[in-house]
């Protein structure tokens, strides 16, 4: 019998108990697992750490929270083969982001990372920025709805050298003034493979001069504007 390699249980309302069953089975052969929107909550099952063959994992929209973020980090520490990770829409907050960052620092193969809609704030953003520094294999990064604000300078430094980046989503992050986006320009300019840049924001627009600078830095990428 061929071992199971792909499992999609998304949008099933399994809840805490059902999610625990999935992980307790310890399907060690799995390479792709999607358990997004199963309402897992903060009680992240420990069996995740035994799925060491995983290359793609989606845990989005599970209301994991900051408390669950710590448990999630423990499991992710063992998943060194991950190429794609989606933990979006989990309300991780600054503390959960810091715990996640600890695991991210060990993921050398990661190419696609979605941390959107977690409201990690400047301190959480700084931790994530430190964790992804030097991860030049990343081609898709979603940091939308995270209140980056004053941490944009740290992210600018973290993104330097990511020449393979194709898709960058920084929308709705309070980058509403020229000084907020300025530290990111040099990094964006170096992303010669960039095809999609999302800077959508529901607040103030950048100055005309900054708009010109962004367009110039983004080369031929499709830009989503405020």
């Amino acid at each position: 019998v061929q071992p199971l390699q792909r499992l999609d249980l998304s949008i099933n309302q399994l809840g805490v108990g059902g999610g625990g069953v999935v992980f307790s089975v310890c399907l060690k052969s799995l390479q792709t697992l999607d358990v997004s929107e199963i309402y897992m909550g903060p009680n992240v099952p420990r069996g995740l750490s035994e799925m060491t063959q995983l290359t793609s994992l989606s845990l989005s929209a599970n209301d994991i929270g900051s408390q669950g973020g710590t448990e999630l980090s423990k499991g992710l520490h063992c998943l060194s083969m991950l190429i794609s990770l989606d933990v979006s829409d989990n309300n991780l907050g600054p503390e959960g982001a810091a715990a996640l960052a600890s695991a991210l620092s060990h993921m050398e193969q990661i190419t696609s990372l979605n941390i959107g809609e977690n409201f990690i704030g400047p301190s959480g953003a700084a931790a994530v920025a430190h964790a992804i520094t030097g991860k030049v294999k990343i081609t898709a990064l979603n940091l939308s709805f995270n209140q980056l604000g004053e941490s944009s300078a740290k992210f600018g430094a973290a993104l330097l050298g990511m020449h393979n980046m194709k898709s960058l989503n920084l929308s709705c992050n309070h980058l509403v003034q020229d000084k907020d986006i300025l530290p990111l320009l040099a990094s964006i300019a170096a992303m010669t493979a960039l095809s999609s840049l999302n800077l959508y924001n529901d607040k103030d627009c950048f100055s005309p001069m900054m708009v010109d600078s962004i367009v110039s830095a983004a080369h031929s990428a499709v830009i989503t504007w405020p």
Side-chain angles (χ1 to χ4, degrees):
V1 179
Q2 184 74 17
L4 188 65
Q5 295 183 333
R6 178 183 175 84
L7 181 61
D8 187 342
L9 293 170
S10 59
I11 320 179
N12 266 307
Q13 299 186 14
L14 294 178
V16 175
V21 170
V22 172
F23 290 105
S24 66
V25 173
C26 294
L27 300 170
K28 297 180 181 179
S29 61
L30 278 180
Q31 296 179 7
T32 300
L33 176 62
D34 187 345
V35 284
S36 56
E37 205 170 334
I38 66 169
Y39 303 96
M40 184 185 303
N43 299 310
V44 179
R46 296 179 181 177
L48 176 63
S49 62
E50 299 190 36
M51 298 181 180
T52 55
Q53 300 303 305
L54 279 178
T55 59
S56 177
L57 175 63
S58 178
L59 290 160
S60 66
N62 271 302
D63 198 23
I64 291 173
S66 59
Q67 179 183 351
T70 301
E71 291 302 314
L72 173 61
S73 176
K74 292 177 182 178
L76 291 177
H77 262 92
C78 301
L79 308 185
S80 60
M81 295 178 65
L82 271 184
I83 295 173
S84 176
L85 176 63
D86 184 352
V87 291
S88 61
D89 193 15
N90 272 302
N91 198 28
L92 293 177
E95 293 181 4
L100 176 64
S102 176
L104 285 174
S105 63
H106 298 285
M107 296 180 187
E108 299 302 328
Q109 305 304 317
I110 198 80
T111 63
S112 177
L113 180 60
N114 188 345
I115 316 178
E117 297 184 69
N118 275 299
F119 306 100
I120 63 179
S123 63
V128 172
H130 179 74
I132 66 173
T133 299
K135 301 254 188 283
V136 296
K137 293 183 179 180
I138 294 179
T139 60
L141 181 61
N142 187 336
L143 292 162
S144 60
F145 289 94
N146 272 313
Q147 301 170 331
L148 299 184
E150 63 193 51
S151 65
S152 60
K154 289 189 171 103
F155 256 105
L159 295 176
L160 277 173
M162 293 189 180
H163 308 303
N164 297 313
M165 188 74 72
K166 295 180 180 178
S167 176
L168 180 61
N169 189 341
L170 297 171
S171 63
C172 300
N173 268 306
H174 297 177
L175 303 176
V176 296
Q177 299 180 40
D178 288 3
K179 66 180 180 62
D180 296 324
I181 192 67
L182 188 60
L184 296 164
L185 282 184
S187 299
I188 292 172
M191 297 174 184
T192 54
L194 193 66
S195 59
S196 175
L197 174 62
N198 192 334
L199 291 171
Y200 177 82
N201 200 299
D202 56 1
K203 292 191 176 182
D204 300 332
C205 295
F206 304 116
S207 72
M209 184 178 295
M210 183 54 64
V211 169
D212 289 341
S213 297
I214 294 170
V215 170
S216 177
H219 305 291
S220 59
V222 174
I223 304 175
T224 303
W225 289 107

